[in-house]
Amino acid sequence: MSNMASIRIVGDILSLNWAERNFNESDCNVCKEEHGNFSDFWIHSDKIENLEDIHNIKEVASELIEYINSILYFEKENYSTIKYDNIKIGNTIYSEVNECLGVQEDCFIIENNKEKELNSAQTEKMKICYRIDSRAKEILRLYQKKGIDFVNLYRICDKLKSFQMDPVKKKWVTAQKYSDFTNSANNPLVSGDEARHGKSMGQPPKNPMTIQEAKQFIDGIIIQFIDEIYNFLSSQGKE
């Protein structure tokens, strides 16, 4: 028990506090230690409970960080990446060299001087689906790893279709709205350097989408995708 490993994580205090509130499973439990005016954040996990080899623990640490960041990226507008800083095994600390990360001092001031309301039920659904369903994991990882631009948002739609989850056929969105999105994503007259094509592929859409509108459009699709997977898992008693 004295050699139990734990993973220290660093990042923006807003993101760290969010992770501490939302990740409390036995295999990914984010804990906060108060030291006066300073707080340390650690991941405790039964996945590393009996591990002593630092390389094996680092591998698990990377998986857990990816899991947290994938959910965090979708759920928080003011996203900031969480990284692991060091790993402690018993009294031995193995440090990682990370770039300096920005910190916001007041974890309650996010938007308009108040903390943004988060949908805890939605967060739980995403966590469950990520952990159980490989399709949900792939979509959320893709969303987080490749970022928010027209190319990646379009890629997400293609990936959903490969899962036999066409957003239009599923009636998650109208054909017209989907056409507005795809035409905006493809046409440099609308999306400029972020367009999927280097030259204009016909006339721009009558109702072009900005990148923020496209993000909101895809966010809505992903939420319905997660709901469908979650409902299926619930019907199978797997949630």
Side-chain angles (χ1 to χ4, degrees):
M1 195 73 170
S2 61
N3 288 329
M4 181 180 290
S6 52
I7 304 158
R8 182 174 181 266
I9 56 176
V10 295
D12 188 296
I13 194 65
L14 295 172
S15 297
L16 291 169
N17 273 292
W18 183 89
E20 191 263 339
R21 290 197 303 269
N22 286 280
F23 290 85
N24 48 29
E25 304 98 27
S26 62
D27 61 352
C28 187
N29 186 15
V30 177
C31 303
K32 178 164 63 173
E33 294 180 358
E34 301 284 1
H35 306 283
N37 294 325
F38 177 75
S39 298
D40 261 343
F41 292 81
W42 297 85
I43 298 176
H44 301 295
S45 171
D46 55 19
K47 287 186 175 182
I48 58 175
E49 197 171 75
N50 299 313
L51 297 180
E52 295 185 2
D53 183 273
I54 186 60
H55 299 292
N56 292 338
I57 296 173
K58 283 184 177 181
E59 189 173 316
V60 175
S62 295
E63 291 175 0
L64 295 175
I65 290 295
E66 185 173 71
Y67 166 48
I68 293 172
N69 279 327
S70 293
I71 307 298
L72 174 63
Y73 188 82
F74 189 89
E75 289 288 75
K76 285 184 69 64
E77 290 285 340
N78 55 334
Y79 166 79
S80 176
T81 306
I82 287 173
K83 298 182 179 181
Y84 76 86
D85 178 59
N86 62 52
I87 292 169
K88 182 167 66 175
I89 307 176
N91 294 319
T92 303
I93 294 178
Y94 299 82
S95 295
E96 294 289 317
V97 177
N98 281 316
E99 62 192 57
C100 182
L101 297 169
V103 172
Q104 297 183 37
E105 293 181 356
D106 188 343
C107 67
F108 297 105
I109 298 178
I110 300 178
E111 293 178 354
N112 300 320
N113 294 325
K114 64 179 182 179
E115 188 170 10
K116 180 184 175 183
E117 288 292 326
L118 297 176
N119 188 332
S120 58
Q122 179 177 292
T123 299
E124 286 304 310
K125 285 183 183 179
M126 289 193 166
K127 288 164 58 182
I128 290 167
C129 292
Y130 183 101
R131 292 154 67 90
I132 297 177
D133 192 286
S134 61
R135 297 168 300 174
K137 180 177 181 179
E138 190 167 352
I139 290 295
L140 292 171
R141 285 177 65 249
L142 187 62
Y143 190 99
Q144 184 262 327
K145 278 184 166 295
K146 297 299 182 180
I148 305 301
D149 56 35
F150 276 109
V151 173
N152 194 43
L153 295 177
Y154 197 101
R155 184 188 292 121
I156 287 170
C157 282
D158 279 348
K159 184 65 69 175
L160 289 171
K161 288 180 179 179
S162 76
F163 297 150
Q164 307 304 311
M165 290 196 173
D166 184 302
V168 175
K169 290 180 180 178
K170 286 286 186 181
K171 298 184 178 179
W172 295 338
V173 294
T174 65
Q176 182 59 58
K177 222 29 174 165
Y178 191 80
S179 177
D180 290 343
F181 164 72
T182 57
N183 288 336
S184 297
N186 288 332
N187 199 314
L189 294 177
V190 176
S191 44
D193 292 339
E194 292 185 355
R196 290 179 65 243
H197 300 306
K199 65 176 184 178
S200 175
M201 306 296 286
Q203 293 299 311
K206 292 181 180 179
N207 299 300
M209 288 187 182
T210 65
I211 187 61
Q212 185 59 32
E213 289 169 337
K215 175 190 178 299
Q216 292 172 352
F217 176 74
I218 298 301
D219 284 358
I221 289 174
I222 291 176
I223 288 170
Q224 292 182 87
F225 164 68
I226 291 294
D227 280 345
E228 178 150 325
I229 291 177
Y230 179 81
N231 291 337
F232 173 77
L233 293 174
S234 297
S235 72
Q236 302 294 307
K238 295 181 180 179
E239 81 285 7

